Amino acid sequence: MHVLGILVICTALLGFVFTLPMVTRVETDPELTAGFVEGDMILDINLRNGLRDKVYKWPNNTVYYKFQTKFDEAHHNHILRGMKIIEDVSCIRFEEATENTPHYVNITGNPGGCSSTVGYRSNRSQNYNLQLYPLDEGCFRLGTIVHEFLHTLGFYHMQSSANRDDYVFINETNIQDGKLHNFNKYDTETVDDFDQGYDYGSVLHYSAFAFSANGEMTIVPLKEAEAAGIMGQRRGMSKSDIDRLNLMYRCPVKV
């Protein structure tokens, strides 16, 4: 390629970057502070395994759990409310584990943010932590409780999708030092979108300011101008979140 052609391309790319929205915000989301993969995902498996591997789906679509932390009644019920949200839109069921249940989720309220093991782990307990916050704040936003349970059920973050570069620009210059790995993109052998397409409004999407070093956007939407205000919403599951869950677990269609 001629030097002139290279200069034209570089100039066009620079022009694109400098025309991206210059919205700023400092973010301290507890989903990002737990110190695991992408902030809140506990992975102890080869990353080639993920949504596509059936072994990491909960058998009989049932998640067993134990409360290892003695939450007050309001926080306890808020977590149960998050389970009910998922049950109401799918065939997933949550059941309290007994002494003889070999595989279950340990629900704790320890310091260190919000986190969950991703997917089912057979014959042992696995982690699910919600640092104590007032109701509807931090880890005790209902959307965050659901977000972490979706990790438990085997889902990765939306911005990890193989096609994410068609929908968002990852602005590495704004990302905190040492945090770039949290923006990994996985191929279609790892993460399946079940033909639902990219969803800015997914409860599993990072916000536009995740891991920002300077208050400026680290994830910039490319398709919809208003998407920056939608990304990272924790009000509840989007339609495509619900559809993905039902497709992954082969739930019957509700009429």
Side-chain angles (χ1 to χ4, degrees):
M1 182 181 290
H2 293 299
V3 174
L4 180 59
I6 295 173
L7 288 173
V8 169
I9 292 172
C10 291
T11 301
L13 288 173
L14 285 171
F16 167 75
V17 171
F18 286 124
T19 58
L20 293 173
M22 295 298 290
V23 181
T24 61
R25 188 175 75 199
V26 175
E27 178 165 293
T28 55
D29 192 326
E31 290 176 18
L32 307 180
T33 59
F36 298 107
V37 177
E38 297 180 13
D40 64 342
M41 300 195 314
I42 303 172
L43 298 175
D44 54 1
I45 58 174
N46 188 311
L47 280 179
R48 290 188 306 157
N49 299 315
L51 293 180
R52 286 190 178 276
D53 197 328
K54 294 179 182 178
V55 74
Y56 297 112
K57 293 194 290 188
W58 284 80
N60 302 315
N61 298 355
T62 302
V63 179
Y64 292 94
Y65 65 90
K66 287 184 180 180
F67 281 95
Q68 295 294 348
T69 295
K70 188 173 177 59
F71 295 94
D72 63 38
E73 184 177 5
H75 285 81
H76 181 100
N77 289 341
H78 217 52
I79 297 170
L80 295 180
R81 195 170 293 119
M83 296 179 189
K84 185 68 163 52
I85 288 171
I86 292 174
E87 288 184 333
D88 284 347
V89 298
S90 72
C91 61
I92 299 298
R93 293 297 172 260
F94 291 86
E95 292 188 15
E96 193 160 7
T98 67
E99 291 183 1
N100 298 320
T101 305
H103 48 265
Y104 58 88
V105 176
N106 269 321
I107 301 177
T108 56
N110 299 326
C114 336
S115 59
S116 173
T117 304
V118 178
Y120 166 74
R121 303 290 181 270
S122 61
N123 298 318
R124 62 184 177 88
S125 63
Q126 57 192 75
N127 299 314
Y128 179 98
N129 187 68
L130 300 173
Q131 180 180 339
L132 283 173
Y133 278 83
L135 296 187
D136 300 318
E137 296 181 17
C139 295
F140 274 85
R141 297 171 293 184
L142 273 176
T144 294
I145 293 171
V146 169
H147 174 112
E148 298 303 337
F149 275 130
L150 289 176
H151 285 324
T152 301
L153 287 161
F155 285 90
Y156 285 69
H157 290 121
M158 176 57 60
Q159 73 281 346
S160 299
S161 301
N163 65 343
R164 68 104 181 270
D165 291 336
D166 295 331
Y167 295 88
V168 297
F169 168 67
I170 304 301
N171 194 337
E172 298 182 10
T173 61
N174 293 335
I175 296 172
Q176 297 168 15
D177 290 342
K179 301 297 185 181
L180 184 58
H181 65 277
N182 291 304
F183 296 84
N184 286 343
K185 178 178 67 174
Y186 301 117
D187 60 31
T188 54
E189 294 302 312
T190 303
V191 178
D192 191 347
D193 69 359
F194 299 97
D195 296 323
Q196 293 303 298
Y198 198 87
D199 180 13
Y200 292 120
S202 170
V203 77
L204 286 165
H205 205 300
Y206 271 3
S207 85
F209 304 91
F211 294 103
S212 179
N214 52 17
E216 296 184 2
M217 287 195 290
T218 54
I219 306 178
V220 182
L222 300 178
K223 298 287 187 180
E224 301 173 19
E226 70 276 11
I230 298 171
M231 295 188 306
Q233 69 82 15
R234 294 296 179 264
R235 294 181 297 278
M237 297 172 71
S238 69
K239 183 180 183 302
S240 69
D241 288 330
I242 295 169
D243 290 343
R244 283 186 181 86
L245 177 60
N246 285 315
L247 287 165
M248 179 176 174
Y249 279 89
R250 298 185 178 180
C251 296
V253 177
K254 290 189 176 183
V255 295

